[in-house]
Amino acid sequence: DNNKESHPYFQYDIDDIDTVEYQALALEAAHQSIVLLKNNGGTTLPLQKGRKVAVIGPHFNATNVFLSNYHGARCTSGNLDCIVTPLSAIKTANVNGSTVGSMGCTVSSMDNNGIAQAVAVAKEADDVILMVGIDGSQENEGLDRYNTTLPGLQHELVRQIASLKNSSTTLVVISGGSMSLSSLRDMVPAIVWAGYGGERAAEALADVLYGAYNPSGKLAATWYPEDYVKEIPLTEMSLTVYPGRTHMFYTGEPEFSFGHGLSYTSWNLKWTKRSKNKEELVSENIQHHDHDNQHQQRILHWATTEYVSGIVGKILHFDIEITNTGEYTGKQTVLLFVVPKISPHVVSLEEADNKDEGHTYVPMQQKLLSYQNVDEVLPGEHRKLRFRVDTLELAVANEDGDKTVLPGEYIFDFSDGENHLQQSILIHGPPIVVEVFPKYPDHDDNRNDPGNDGDKNHTEDIPTSMARRVEKM
């Protein structure tokens, strides 16, 4: 649509740029993106105001890193002097306290001249905030990393400061992609991932560190151990080649899992009272449950004829209750994963050796089906959530690419990033194909066909919707 008069994006004027509303939106987006990875039983964060604080690390006074590599001229001056730095934001938040900074080392340099000074500054502080990570010099659109650890001397900087045994040391990691912290995870009592949070990232970080905002973010990618890059080539694009890629197929033990994220308050998940639902093909409702009501099992039965007649595609409903059992008001996100157990119709890891490729393939480990959010839950309050799952969402691709629902056990895992509530379902019957992968004609055979004029579109064997797409090419 080239009609500028009717297009809403052409109606904006200079007065619509950088408004108070949009600045607040940028701050809220940064708040929600921050993930609390570790908090030593809740004893380190949030920090108390009015103390001696040392902000140390290559990103202690950063601006550009938070904007990543897709941004315009944010400040009217043409540089980034309007972007608040972590040192400045923390100094503002630490009311009646003293806040100093020291770089220690750069992101990737091997120059260690600043480490001793940074350690000396840390010795005098009540609270130490380590601002480490990577930036556009390590990852961007045209630059891939060959490892996932902290580059340069950052690991040594963290190790030396952590050896001071200050119980109030927080490691803040700035990155776009996944990182591997290795032994550093156990050296510090608190870890925060802040990503590239945009123009108000530093202010949002200070709000989280000092408790003005209760973190609710979840990791959007798996954090693998550092040896993972040696187990699978960077050029291997398959998700299922051992040990697997992403939370869906990775078979190892991650440093931090996809969906992980803590809160300053505590939460409890439990089942609400169940009612019979005729939409569910349940032959036996709750077959058994353990003493703490954290696991339930149901059995589903269906026949091939029901799929053919369109009856199946049944809807499962899961009713849970989430309660804020802590002392802070907070937001929370509940993720629903399905964890399929290996059945005779799924090739096991031991027998999946592909002789032609020389690879071992792994089955799907889990899949994110849904999620729901709850906002501003006061201490002691609870919210009820209903999750709706179509059984056809359990389908996986077989060797022909056809989406197939397989018999076996499926565990539905509800997670708030720390706590888990599970229910298993057993599916009996033959595998059911619910979506056929489009089959194209063999063009090599057509090329040798005397009746092939070379120009004709051979779409007779392609499903109608796919044929239409081919004809438009």
Side-chain angles (χ1 to χ4, degrees), residues 457-471:
N457 285 326
H458 295 273
T459 59
E460 292 86 352
D461 298 327
I462 305 177
T464 304
S465 60
M466 186 61 67
R468 292 196 188 103
R469 291 173 57 190
V470 173
E471 289 168 359

Side-chain angles (χ1 to χ4, degrees), residues 196-416:
Y196 299 144
E199 62 187 59
R200 303 200 67 181
E203 297 162 274
L205 175 62
D207 285 344
V208 168
L209 293 176
Y210 281 92
Y213 188 92
N214 187 353
S216 61
K218 310 298 179 191
L219 274 186
T222 303
W223 283 30
Y224 305 98
E226 65 173 302
D227 288 340
Y228 177 75
V229 296
K230 302 175 184 178
E231 295 182 285
I232 186 168
L234 181 66
T235 53
E236 177 54 70
M237 296 294 103
S238 172
L239 300 180
T240 59
V241 169
Y242 181 81
R245 288 191 186 277
T246 78
H247 73 102
M248 293 181 67
F249 297 98
Y250 181 53
T251 55
E253 185 68 30
E255 288 194 355
F256 293 104
S257 301
F258 170 85
H260 176 73
L262 308 178
S263 170
Y264 289 152
T265 194
S266 56
W267 301 88
N268 180 65
L269 299 175
K270 71 175 184 179
W271 303 109
T272 60
K273 183 178 180 181
R274 296 189 54 80
S275 59
K276 293 183 178 180
N277 190 330
K278 293 184 179 180
E279 288 184 310
E280 299 177 4
L281 272 178
V282 181
S283 61
E284 298 177 36
N285 197 7
I286 300 176
Q287 187 184 52
H288 72 269
H289 59 85
D290 57 22
H291 294 296
D292 60 6
N293 197 33
Q294 295 301 293
H295 186 86
Q296 298 178 347
Q297 186 178 65
R298 291 186 285 167
I299 298 180
L300 300 184
H301 296 272
W302 58 54
T304 305
T305 53
E306 290 183 304
Y307 270 99
V308 173
S309 64
I311 295 175
V312 175
K314 295 298 177 182
I315 305 301
L316 305 178
H317 290 109
F318 300 90
D319 298 298
I320 68 172
E321 181 178 285
I322 180 169
T323 304
N324 183 347
T325 58
E327 300 178 356
Y328 295 87
T329 297
K331 300 179 180 180
Q332 189 54 278
T333 300
V334 178
L335 308 175
L336 169 56
F337 296 94
V338 62
V339 182
K341 310 305 289 185
I342 296 178
S343 75
H345 301 282
V346 180
V347 181
S348 67
L349 183 60
E350 290 75 15
E351 61 185 6
D353 189 24
N354 186 309
K355 304 303 180 182
D356 297 328
E357 299 291 338
H359 290 152
T360 299
Y361 296 91
V362 297
M364 187 173 71
Q365 304 297 298
Q366 66 175 23
K367 177 183 178 182
L368 179 65
L369 291 181
S370 181
Y371 65 89
Q372 291 191 39
N373 303 313
V374 291
D375 292 327
E376 302 302 323
V377 183
L378 299 175
E381 281 189 341
H382 67 268
R383 303 284 173 81
K384 293 183 178 180
L385 300 174
R386 165 165 279 204
F387 285 82
R388 177 184 181 276
V389 177
D390 189 325
T391 52
L392 299 186
E393 295 181 63
L394 305 180
V396 295
N398 64 15
E399 62 272 14
D400 296 320
D402 301 334
K403 289 187 177 180
T404 307
V405 177
L406 300 170
E409 182 183 13
Y410 293 81
I411 298 176
F412 291 84
D413 180 23
F414 298 83
S415 171
D416 62 8

Side-chain angles (χ1 to χ4, degrees), residues 13-303:
D13 201 347
I14 191 68
D15 293 334
D16 298 306
I17 299 175
D18 201 23
T19 64
V20 173
E21 177 187 3
Y22 293 150
Q23 290 177 12
L25 181 61
L27 180 61
E28 177 62 22
H31 279 149
Q32 293 189 25
S33 70
I34 294 173
V35 183
L36 179 61
L37 298 175
K38 178 182 177 181
N39 195 21
N40 197 32
T43 60
T44 301
L45 296 175
L47 300 173
Q48 299 179 24
K49 299 177 181 179
R51 289 159 59 91
K52 292 189 294 183
V53 175
V55 185
I56 295 172
H59 292 317
F60 88 106
N61 211 27
T63 53
N64 188 62
V65 65
F66 296 115
L67 302 182
S68 188
N69 58 335
Y70 289 105
H71 64 85
R74 174 62 187 85
C75 308
T76 56
S77 62
N79 53 39
L80 297 176
D81 56 358
C82 68
I83 304 297
V84 178
T85 69
L87 179 63
S88 178
I90 292 169
K91 185 177 295 185
T92 300
N94 185 25
V95 179
N96 297 325
S98 64
T99 306
V100 296
S102 179
M103 179 175 289
C105 65
T106 63
V107 168
S108 57
S109 171
M110 299 304 292
D111 183 354
N112 65 355
N113 289 331
I115 292 182
Q117 179 185 357
V119 172
V121 170
K123 286 181 179 179
E124 301 300 319
D126 299 318
D127 304 320
V128 178
I129 302 170
L130 285 161
M131 298 291 305
V132 301
I134 53 180
D135 58 15
S137 70
Q138 304 298 306
E139 60 174 3
N140 61 52
E141 190 67 39
L143 179 62
D144 293 326
R145 290 179 289 154
Y146 289 91
N147 60 67
T148 52
T149 54
L150 292 172
L153 293 174
Q154 292 187 70
H155 190 284
E156 179 61 18
L157 173 66
V158 175
R159 188 195 67 78
Q160 290 197 29
I161 291 180
S163 67
L164 300 176
K165 303 298 182 182
N166 187 328
S167 61
S168 185
T169 299
T170 300
L171 183 68
V172 178
V173 181
I174 307 296
S175 72
S178 299
M179 300 295 296
S180 301
L181 300 180
S182 303
S183 59
L184 299 182
R185 286 188 303 163
D186 299 323
M187 292 184 183
V188 293
I191 303 174
V192 172
W193 181 72
Y196 299 144
E199 62 187 59
R200 303 200 67 181
E203 297 162 274
L205 175 62
D207 285 344
V208 168
L209 293 176
Y210 281 92
Y213 188 92
N214 187 353
S216 61
K218 310 298 179 191
L219 274 186
T222 303
W223 283 30
Y224 305 98
E226 65 173 302
D227 288 340
Y228 177 75
V229 296
K230 302 175 184 178
E231 295 182 285
I232 186 168
L234 181 66
T235 53
E236 177 54 70
M237 296 294 103
S238 172
L239 300 180
T240 59
V241 169
Y242 181 81
R245 288 191 186 277
T246 78
H247 73 102
M248 293 181 67
F249 297 98
Y250 181 53
T251 55
E253 185 68 30
E255 288 194 355
F256 293 104
S257 301
F258 170 85
H260 176 73
L262 308 178
S263 170
Y264 289 152
T265 194
S266 56
W267 301 88
N268 180 65
L269 299 175
K270 71 175 184 179
W271 303 109
T272 60
K273 183 178 180 181
R274 296 189 54 80
S275 59
K276 293 183 178 180
N277 190 330
K278 293 184 179 180
E279 288 184 310
E280 299 177 4
L281 272 178
V282 181
S283 61
E284 298 177 36
N285 197 7
I286 300 176
Q287 187 184 52
H288 72 269
H289 59 85
D290 57 22
H291 294 296
D292 60 6
N293 197 33
Q294 295 301 293
H295 186 86
Q296 298 178 347
Q297 186 178 65
R298 291 186 285 167
I299 298 180
L300 300 184
H301 296 272
W302 58 54

